[in-house]
Amino acid sequence: MKNILLPTDFSKDAWNAIFMAVKLYAELECKFYVLHAYEPKKENIAGFKSSTRAGVVYQSLSEASLGQLGEIMEYLEENHKNPKHSFDKISMAGGLVETIRDLIPKYDIDTIVMGTKGSTGAKEIFMGSNAVKVLKHIKNCTILVVPESYDFQKLESLVFPTEYAHFFPKNVLRPLLQLVKLWSSKVKVFHVAQTFSLSDRQKANKEILKKRFEAHPTSFHKVVIKTTVAEAIRHFAEEERTDLIVLTNYSHDFFDRLTQEPVVKNVTFRTEIPLMVLPDFQG
């Protein structure tokens, strides 16, 4: 049984993430937890003179949250007939990151699937602040971020960028290998760098990676950085028409640089292709 958390703010991008999740894992036994974490606006609580007033505000938010979650449950029960899937709703007061951090061990969550906001008038999809926060602060769970406009049909191929700087433990790649096997996906290992002269350690890590993917159709590619790592990955993924970009979330890996490169400012990554970040079990 796979336990999947679906954070929602009841927006179009959150719905799209739900749709991708149920299609991506259609052949697996899954329990989906649809989560709404709510906090009152600061201006609504700044003037509280009594706990009674605060209680009224939180009660109102709770009722609205449960009502909208109930509508999602009704829709899924009526329109999603997969016998392998079941759904439950969670409504909690608090910040999204803190709530998710508490729920991962409580419900033994394997994967978080959430949406990103669309950028008006632009082709690119920019990650919203919630997606950025979750990616930066949740390290022990697979995270899949789905662009608002992405219409998932099948996982035909995926891009796996790497610098071969890290050893890849089996447990880190397990969520990815599960999907690759499920969909018979093509894996495109992508080395983006200024130079392709590998150290002995990098060569060893590359050989390990070959072994990890040896049961699946895998190809190896390399591109010299012309702008940024993030842009190179995005261009390659779009040119290859892949269905997913997969990163490992090592504390010192180039994933960190994706959040620091000036060209992407505060939005981590921009792409029309879903982004999966595998957990960091060493950090």
Side-chain angles (χ1 to χ4, degrees):
M1 174 71 74
K2 196 171 188 68
N3 298 316
I4 300 175
L5 189 65
L6 303 172
T8 182
D9 56 1
F10 311 114
S11 62
K12 181 180 177 181
D13 52 285
W15 269 108
N16 198 44
I18 292 174
F19 294 149
M20 178 167 177
V22 297
K23 286 191 283 186
L24 183 64
Y25 297 104
E27 298 302 318
L28 295 181
E29 297 279 347
C30 296
K31 179 65 176 286
F32 293 94
Y33 295 90
V34 185
L35 165 69
H36 181 234
Y38 57 88
E39 287 182 302
K41 294 181 179 178
K42 291 181 179 180
E43 57 266 29
N44 291 340
I45 62 175
F48 287 164
K49 295 182 179 179
S50 69
S51 59
T52 302
R53 174 58 182 160
V56 170
V57 171
Y58 274 99
Q59 181 64 26
S60 175
L61 290 172
S62 175
E63 291 174 357
S65 174
L66 288 169
Q68 289 180 286
L69 285 172
E71 293 176 6
I72 292 177
M73 293 296 105
E74 289 179 11
Y75 177 87
L76 292 172
E77 289 173 6
E78 292 178 9
N79 298 280
H80 186 67
K81 303 295 185 180
N82 190 337
K84 295 182 179 180
H85 291 176
S86 61
F87 299 87
D88 202 354
K89 63 180 185 291
I90 303 174
S91 176
M92 293 183 67
L96 181 61
V97 170
E98 294 75 18
T99 300
I100 289 175
R101 190 174 283 136
D102 290 340
L103 293 178
I104 288 173
K106 182 176 181 179
Y107 294 102
D108 195 20
I109 299 298
D110 303 288
T111 304
I112 301 164
V113 183
M114 61 189 302
T116 65
K117 300 292 184 184
S119 179
T120 304
K123 291 182 179 180
E124 294 91 350
I125 297 299
F126 289 80
M127 285 193 181
S129 59
N130 282 335
V132 172
K133 289 177 183 177
V134 172
L135 284 169
K136 284 190 174 184
H137 297 288
I138 302 298
K139 306 291 188 181
N140 61 341
C141 190
T142 300
I143 302 171
L144 174 60
V145 185
V146 184
E148 179 185 41
S149 64
Y150 190 77
D151 182 18
F152 176 78
Q153 297 299 323
K154 58 184 178 179
L155 189 59
E156 185 172 332
S157 66
L158 59 90
V159 173
F160 185 82
T162 180
E163 290 177 319
Y164 305 116
H166 292 279
F167 168 75
F168 298 98
K170 292 179 181 179
N171 60 333
V172 170
L173 294 179
R174 189 172 291 121
L176 172 59
L177 292 172
Q178 182 184 52
L179 284 173
V180 170
K181 181 179 179 181
L182 191 67
W183 288 90
S184 300
S185 309
K186 297 176 183 176
V187 178
K188 301 185 179 185
V189 180
F190 180 59
H191 184 197
V192 54
Q194 297 288 3
T195 175
F196 300 107
S197 177
L198 300 182
S199 66
D200 289 342
R201 180 182 177 186
Q202 286 175 301
K203 290 177 182 177
N205 290 333
K206 184 176 181 179
E207 290 304 311
I208 289 294
L209 198 58
K210 286 181 178 179
K211 290 182 181 180
R212 298 284 187 255
F213 290 122
E214 65 183 355
H216 311 286
T218 305
S219 56
F220 290 79
H221 310 260
K222 54 187 179 182
V223 171
V224 176
I225 297 174
K226 294 181 180 179
T227 53
T228 67
V229 173
E231 286 298 298
I233 294 170
R234 181 174 71 87
H235 284 305
F236 178 79
E238 291 177 354
E239 287 176 2
E240 295 290 317
R241 300 192 177 190
T242 56
D243 306 296
L244 187 66
I245 298 169
V246 183
L247 300 178
T248 52
N249 204 346
Y250 289 108
S251 298
H252 301 292
D253 206 355
F254 69 84
F255 174 77
D256 283 336
R257 297 211 298 273
L258 296 183
T259 69
Q260 295 167 8
E261 290 173 344
V263 71
V264 293
K265 297 181 180 178
N266 299 320
V267 294
T268 301
F269 203 71
R270 54 177 183 173
T271 177
E272 293 180 343
I273 301 170
L275 173 67
M276 175 176 281
V277 181
L278 300 177
D280 175 11
F281 290 119
Q282 298 182 354

